């Protein structure tokens, strides 16, 4: 077994292990030698948290690994309007407004696009922000205390997203950054689709605690 672990390590294969029962030495050794992670699952919420952590892509290169980073050169042109119409490089039509490629100066009608002259990827800052935020997963919310009965609290608390009443006995999830509480359906939607907390706009980029 140790010989197999050595071969995996030589091929720079990262292995992570989620143990559903007691910790085993060989599994922890495999994760440690291959720079992966190891965890013993305590409950269902812990399993969800560890699985979300594994979904995040690891760094493509580490110090001394000899793996080259893959960088994409992009241009961020601004929309400009001129008094005289000029030909756009993408359609060959006369327009007064457009986006000039910062590398070669070719005019394009809209973004995002790829410059037809020099091949530079042209995007706006809004497009870049929308794509970047999905590279960082929203940290898991913590399970909050059960909602009190109406006769105890006076009124049922509402979900911070859909504003529906948080029924007693149902799961309530709380954002660690803003302490807003959400129902089970909204918690699932925010982590699987929206990828941000609508109350504080917290994402994995903000360093929110889990």
């Amino acid at each position: 077994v140790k010989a197999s672990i050595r071969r995996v390590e030589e091929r720079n294969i990262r292995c992570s292990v989620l143990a559903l029962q007691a910790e085993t030495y060989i599994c922890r050794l495999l994760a440690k030698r291959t720079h992966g992670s190891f965890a013993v699952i305590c409950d269902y919420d812990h399993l969800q948290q560890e699985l979300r952590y594994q979904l995040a892509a690891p760094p493509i290169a580490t110090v001394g690994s000899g793996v080259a980073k893959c960088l994409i050169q992009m241009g961020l042109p601004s929309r400009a309007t001129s008094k005289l119409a000029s030909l756009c490089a993408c359609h060959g039509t006369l327009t007064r407004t457009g986006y000039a490629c910062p590398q070669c100066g070719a005019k394009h009608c809209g973004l995002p696009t790829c410059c037809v002259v020099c091949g530079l990827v042209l995007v706006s800052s809004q497009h870049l922000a929308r794509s970047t935020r999905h590279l960082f997963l929203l940290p898991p919310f913590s399970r909050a205390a059960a909602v009190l009965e109406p006769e105890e609290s006076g009124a049922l608390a509402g979900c911070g997203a859909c504003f529906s009443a948080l029924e007693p006995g149902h799961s309530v999830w709380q954002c660690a950054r803003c302490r807003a509480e959400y129902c089970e359906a909204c918690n699932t939607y925010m982590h699987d689709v929206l990828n941000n907390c609508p109350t504080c706009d917290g994402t994995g980029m903000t360093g929110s605690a889990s």
Side-chain angles (χ1 to χ4, degrees):
V1 176
K2 291 186 177 180
S4 299
I5 294 177
R6 191 180 307 110
R7 287 195 295 269
V8 172
E9 185 181 8
E10 291 172 354
R11 288 169 172 78
N12 295 323
I13 300 176
R14 185 194 305 263
C15 298
S16 297
V17 180
L18 300 180
L20 300 180
Q21 296 182 353
E23 176 182 329
T24 54
Y25 169 76
I26 198 66
C27 292
R28 178 172 285 279
L29 180 64
L30 172 65
K32 181 179 179 181
R33 294 283 294 273
T34 59
H35 304 287
S37 62
F38 178 85
V40 177
I41 301 303
C42 300
D43 52 27
Y44 179 73
D45 293 335
H46 185 207
L47 176 61
Q48 282 190 318
Q49 181 179 354
E50 290 295 334
L51 288 177
R52 289 194 184 102
Y53 173 78
Q54 294 298 331
L55 288 176
I60 62 173
T62 55
V63 178
S65 63
V67 180
K69 292 184 178 180
C70 180
L71 302 179
I72 301 177
Q73 186 177 8
M74 293 184 176
L76 301 173
S78 300
R79 183 180 178 88
T81 302
S82 59
K83 295 182 178 179
L84 300 177
S86 58
L87 289 174
C88 70
C90 49
H91 302 98
T93 57
L94 290 172
T95 59
R96 295 181 55 192
T97 60
Y99 301 86
C101 174
Q103 184 165 273
C104 66
K107 181 181 177 181
H108 296 78
C109 296
L111 300 176
T113 186
C114 187
C115 180
V116 297
V117 177
C118 65
L120 182 67
V121 177
L122 304 178
V123 296
S124 66
S125 57
Q126 291 85 356
H127 294 139
L128 194 59
R130 291 171 191 166
S131 61
T132 302
R133 73 184 296 122
H134 289 283
L135 298 178
F136 302 88
L137 297 179
L138 177 66
F141 293 164
S142 59
R143 190 186 293 272
V147 180
L148 297 177
E149 295 289 346
E151 58 269 15
E152 297 176 359
S153 61
L156 287 173
C159 173
C162 65
F163 304 109
S164 61
L166 298 174
E167 298 294 337
H170 291 189
S171 297
V172 178
W173 300 90
Q174 188 178 69
C175 174
R177 184 183 183 191
C178 65
R179 302 297 178 184
E181 296 182 344
Y182 301 101
C183 62
E184 180 71 29
C186 289
N187 172 66
T188 303
Y189 178 76
M190 282 184 276
H191 283 88
D192 295 347
V193 181
L194 193 61
N195 198 39
N196 77 292
C197 172
T199 303
C200 65
D201 197 30
T203 65
M205 300 175 63
T206 62
S208 302
S210 58

